[in-house]
Amino acid sequence: MSHYLDISHISIEFPTKNGPFKALDKVDLKIARGEFISLIGHSGCGKSTVLNIVAGLYQATEGAVVLESKEVNEPGPDRAVVFQNHSLFPWLTVYENVELAVKQVFKGKKNKAEIRDWVAHNLELVHMSHALHKYPAEISGGMKQRVGIARALAMEPKVLLMDEPFGALDALTRAHLQDALMEIQAELNNTVILITHDVDEAVLLSDRIVMMTNGPAASVGDILSIDLPRPRDRLALADSPDYNHYRAEVLTFLHQKQAKPDVPIVAKSATATPADAADTDQKLDKVVGA
Amino acid sequence: MFKQNALHYLNLAGFKWMIPVVKLAMWDNPREQGAEIARQIGLPIVAILLFLAMWSTGAAKVVTSLGTLPGPGAVVEAGQSLWQEHKAERQKAEAFYERQHKRNEAKLAKNPDAEVKIRPYTGKPTYLDQIVTSLKTVFTGFLVASVIAIPIGVACGLSPLLNTAISPIIQVLKPVSPLAWLPLVTMVVSALYVSDDPMMPKSFVNSAITVTLCCMWPTLINTAMGVANIDKDLINVGRVIQLGWMTQVRKIAIPASLPMIFTGLRISLGIGWMVLIAAEMLAQNPGLGKFVWDEFQNGSSESLARIMFAVITIGLIGFILDSMMQSLHKLVAHDDAVS
Ligand SMILES: Nc1ncnc2c1ncn2[C@@H]1O[C@H](COP(=O)(O)OP(=O)(O)OP(=O)(O)O)[C@@H](O)[C@H]1O
Ligand SMILES: [Mg+2]
């Protein structure tokens, strides 16, 4: 099935004090079952908005989202969301957080014992079985995000929507979670839409990277297919010319085609002054080559 | 483990100052604990002693129509005499029931079918009875206030429209003094609460309702704020798993705003206690407020010392109530409950 999820020409206008603000203009994207898609683009371009429309949390003003030939207009567990800041209920334990969702989603379909097993199984999947009865305040940021992922997976969603799920984590924890996510996806073959700012993350995880143009009225700029064999290993890929080629393409898109004049273009460069275009190209080469 | 638990519960119960004492008893870094005790317990004691000294020298200089203002010593004596009166009154009551019992037994011995009954003792309430009455009244008023304020607060927090609609009413009613409410309450209660054998005395109902009217606002406002400011993502989680409206309220809105609700309840109970004394004075509800008023009207040489004793009692009870609410708050505040 090639058009498992069809994001069909969606536009959205937000009412603001200065009149309507068109955040998205005819975003069009067709996603196959089991595909892993990354959305990448500059801050404020509208990535979260796309995700929220797919989730049903926002309503598109034009266009439609069609999942398995059915239009979706409201939120539902078939499109589970992993939020950026974990959004676990602080008054519930790790176990209870997942249980709340499972109980609701499988009401009348699973009995008590089955619910217990299913919650435990999903927490096992993200390696959180050791902290079932801890409260969110008692576990680290990485662990919270794992629980958030377990909660989403436990809904057996058709599509897993992740809005910068690892954005708030340190590099090492992020790498661990990316590996965990790759493992899980290999096992369950979920369809995933992941928003990220991290080029490496996008290339490592995705089947396709969708690069969005700058807002307002953002739309899909380029789509890059990542034909790297799976399972992927971050260490081996670091030296792979293919991998670095993909990386460079995404960087080129972000920093040249969609360069933001007000954002320092190569942030980590030693001489981080606002540079003119020619200068930038040179620096970009360095970054890409590194 | 035991030690950690003990310290945790002390903290929870508001006995933070006990912590170094317990630690010292366990010989945990005794020198540091000694210094900590000096600070946590020694300093307040010094301050209290200073206060007492200022009180006794200052009071001696103020001569009222009822004699000089009593110092700490006189107030302690007043407390003791109140305690004696309480004991004496209890003995009288016992003796009264004892006599009835004997009489009834005698009657039954003569005629086994005789109808016997025990008449209740109707002595005047003692100081302890009055404290109990005050506590009953304030908790009744506070409970009714909470039962009204929390649901309205939740509704206001959920619906910005409702909030906008009733916010002006709340803002206007909030600052009204209990002294202004009471006459109205009295009239309304007299008109509506008519029964030959009332479950509760009218003065009690009047005072409790006045407490309710004055103390429901902080709970209402805090609940509304708590519910309105719930993290949007938490609500979105509820939408994604398609919780029904009621479940959303029960499982997300209320638990998420529980810390704020408790902050409101704590302020409300404080206000309720403050308001109660005034309400009891006017409504003649037989509690601490009436005690103070009666002593004032009485105008004997002991009155001032008794009033001062009542002031201290009122303060202490208020303090205990507040500590209780604070402990409860710590129990439900999931985020920083551990620290
Ligand atoms: N509810 C809303 N009301 C009005 N404007 C909104 C709303 N949500 C988003 N916007 C605007 O739409 C644009 C896109 O926002 P969005 O959050 O989707 O960006 P993003 O790509 O996710 O950014 P970031 O990478 O910083 O998360 C922004 O200009 C934002 O100000
Ligand atoms: Mg975003």
Side-chain angles (χ1 to χ4, degrees):
Chain A
M1 213 194 296
S2 58
H3 290 193
Y4 185 60
L5 175 64
D6 187 356
I7 301 172
S8 179
H9 296 94
I10 53 171
S11 309
I12 190 167
E13 277 179 6
F14 291 113
T16 66
K17 281 184 213 118
N18 315 321
F21 171 81
K22 187 157 202 169
L24 298 178
D25 185 34
K26 302 209 172 59
V27 171
D28 201 45
L29 189 60
K30 318 236 177 289
I31 299 173
R33 184 179 207 142
E35 203 175 10
F36 197 120
I37 299 282
S38 288
L39 278 183
I40 203 164
H42 284 285
S43 185
C45 72
K47 304 179 294 292
S48 297
T49 307
V50 172
L51 203 84
N52 281 325
I53 293 174
V54 176
L57 294 166
Y58 288 175
Q59 291 295 326
T61 22
E62 269 174 62
V65 176
V66 179
L67 175 61
E68 276 198 316
S69 330
K70 265 194 227 112
E71 186 171 345
V72 291
N73 283 318
E74 48 171 29
D78 56 343
R79 284 149 291 129
V81 185
V82 177
F83 296 91
Q84 175 165 11
N85 59 348
H86 68 80
S87 59
L88 299 178
F89 299 116
W91 57 89
L92 297 180
T93 62
V94 162
Y95 180 89
E96 290 165 341
N97 261 287
V98 179
E99 185 192 45
L100 177 68
V102 171
K103 268 191 176 161
Q104 177 66 22
V105 173
F106 296 100
K107 212 190 304 178
K109 288 183 212 138
K110 284 192 197 297
N111 65 28
K112 262 194 189 148
E114 284 168 338
I115 285 178
R116 194 165 359 97
D117 291 347
W118 183 239
V119 173
H121 168 74
N122 280 280
L123 282 163
E124 175 82 57
L125 218 54
V126 295
H127 307 295
M128 280 303 296
S129 301
H130 60 285
L132 294 184
H133 302 296
K134 290 211 162 133
Y135 286 90
E138 300 168 345
I139 58 178
S140 71
M143 294 189 197
K144 283 180 218 170
Q145 210 50 270
R146 284 173 191 268
V147 179
I149 293 172
R151 176 172 65 188
L153 288 173
M155 299 176 203
E156 284 195 319
K158 292 176 182 160
V159 185
L160 187 60
L161 305 170
M162 309 176 97
D163 192 347
E164 296 183 46
F166 312 135
L169 306 176
D170 64 276
L172 213 56
T173 311
R174 199 184 313 158
H176 278 305
L177 281 180
Q178 287 163 354
D179 291 341
L181 182 60
M182 274 197 288
E183 253 172 54
I184 291 167
Q185 211 254 342
E187 194 181 322
L188 305 178
N189 198 27
N190 304 93
T191 310
V192 183
I193 302 180
L194 170 93
I195 294 179
T196 178
H197 277 129
D198 181 341
V199 176
D200 289 291
E201 180 169 284
V203 176
L204 180 68
L205 297 177
S206 313
D207 297 315
R208 283 191 293 158
I209 300 178
V210 175
M211 295 172 272
M212 290 183 62
T213 64
N214 289 342
S219 62
V220 174
D222 277 346
I223 297 182
L224 181 67
S225 288
I226 310 289
D227 293 318
L228 294 170
R230 290 181 188 269
R232 296 175 185 168
D233 174 54
R234 69 177 65 246
L235 290 180
L237 285 177
D239 293 329
S240 140
D242 283 344
Y243 176 81
N244 283 314
H245 165 75
Y246 289 130
R247 236 180 135 260
E249 274 201 44
V250 179
L251 282 169
T252 311
F253 178 87
L254 290 177
H255 294 294
Q256 284 189 318
K257 294 188 190 160
Q258 292 295 324
K260 280 206 150 183
D262 55 330
V263 180
I265 292 175
V266 182
K268 276 181 192 149
S269 155
T271 53
T273 46
D276 59 57
D279 197 359
T280 308
D281 280 352
Q282 263 184 332
K283 281 182 193 157
L284 191 65
D285 284 344
K286 268 192 223 154
V287 171
V288 172
Chain B
M1 196 64 213
F2 162 75
K3 191 174 110 187
Q4 280 312 318
N5 275 341
L7 296 181
H8 175 64
Y9 285 118
L10 280 179
N11 183 23
L12 211 57
F15 290 113
K16 235 184 171 140
W17 53 272
M18 283 280 291
I19 289 176
V21 180
V22 174
K23 280 191 180 166
L24 186 66
M26 292 169 171
W27 216 246
D28 171 353
N29 199 351
R31 179 170 300 179
E32 195 180 289
Q33 301 314 333
E36 189 64 23
I37 289 175
R39 204 170 40 226
Q40 293 261 354
I41 303 175
L43 278 182
I45 287 182
V46 170
I48 290 172
L49 289 177
L50 267 175
F51 173 77
L52 290 178
M54 273 162 54
W55 173 10
S56 55
T57 51
K61 293 196 183 107
V62 183
V63 182
T64 70
S65 60
L66 298 174
T68 53
L69 217 53
V75 171
V76 172
E77 272 167 35
Q80 283 165 344
S81 85
L82 283 170
W83 176 240
Q84 293 307 331
E85 280 167 32
H86 171 74
K87 281 204 297 196
E89 195 65 25
R90 282 289 182 275
Q91 269 167 8
K92 266 203 242 165
E94 254 172 53
F96 175 78
Y97 285 118
E98 185 76 25
R99 276 201 307 278
Q100 284 197 59
H101 231 74
K102 282 213 180 105
R103 205 180 311 140
N104 286 340
E105 268 172 21
K107 241 192 214 168
L108 285 173
K110 262 192 225 156
N111 171 14
D113 302 327
E115 244 182 62
V116 296
K117 55 181 172 196
I118 303 266
R119 267 176 298 133
Y121 179 72
T122 50
K124 86 181 212 316
T126 69
Y127 192 63
L128 286 184
D129 295 331
Q130 285 166 317
I131 292 179
V132 171
T133 308
S134 280
L135 286 174
K136 270 191 203 155
T137 318
V138 82
F139 273 108
T140 309
F142 172 68
L143 228 74
V144 175
S146 310
V147 168
I148 298 173
I150 293 175
I152 298 183
V154 170
C156 283
L158 289 175
S159 154
L161 286 182
L162 182 65
N163 196 25
T164 318
I166 70 172
S167 171
I169 303 179
I170 294 173
Q171 298 302 338
V172 169
L173 293 183
K174 188 174 65 138
V176 175
S177 148
L179 302 178
W181 280 124
L182 198 82
L184 285 178
V185 172
T186 310
M187 296 316 290
V188 172
V189 168
S190 305
L192 298 181
Y193 186 65
V194 276
S195 129
D196 297 332
D197 180 26
M199 241 169 54
M200 296 168 284
K202 262 188 194 151
S203 62
F204 174 87
V205 177
N206 290 338
S207 309
I209 293 183
T210 306
V211 168
T212 301
L213 283 174
C214 290
C215 84
M216 62 190 275
W217 312 112
T219 302
L220 202 164
I221 292 169
N222 274 276
T223 305
M225 273 211 316
V227 173
N229 292 322
I230 300 172
D231 184 355
K232 255 210 121 83
D233 281 351
L234 294 188
I235 299 196
N236 281 340
V237 171
R239 291 176 63 196
V240 166
I241 61 177
Q242 294 180 331
L243 287 180
W245 189 83
M246 257 327 277
T247 331
Q248 183 106 341
V249 170
R250 221 158 29 85
K251 297 246 161 133
I252 299 181
I254 290 182
S257 46
L258 215 49
M260 279 292 275
I261 294 180
F262 264 84
T263 308
L265 286 175
R266 188 176 156 204
I267 303 172
S268 282
L269 187 57
I271 290 181
W273 183 242
M274 218 152 73
V275 159
L276 173 78
I277 305 299
E280 282 183 340
M281 273 190 187
L282 276 184
Q284 292 292 298
N285 184 43
L288 283 169
K290 184 170 185 316
F291 172 85
V292 170
W293 184 250
D294 288 350
E295 288 299 334
F296 178 59
Q297 296 296 317
N298 200 359
S300 80
S301 57
E302 264 200 328
S303 288
L304 283 181
R306 286 171 166 241
I307 292 178
M308 279 195 184
F309 189 77
V311 166
I312 293 170
T313 313
I314 293 168
L316 275 176
I317 294 177
F319 173 62
I320 293 169
L321 292 180
D322 192 60
S323 310
M324 257 169 47
M325 289 306 287
Q326 205 176 355
S327 303
L328 269 177
H329 188 175
K330 279 189 196 157
L331 266 179
V332 300
H334 30 78
D335 282 334
D336 42 353
V338 197
S339 58

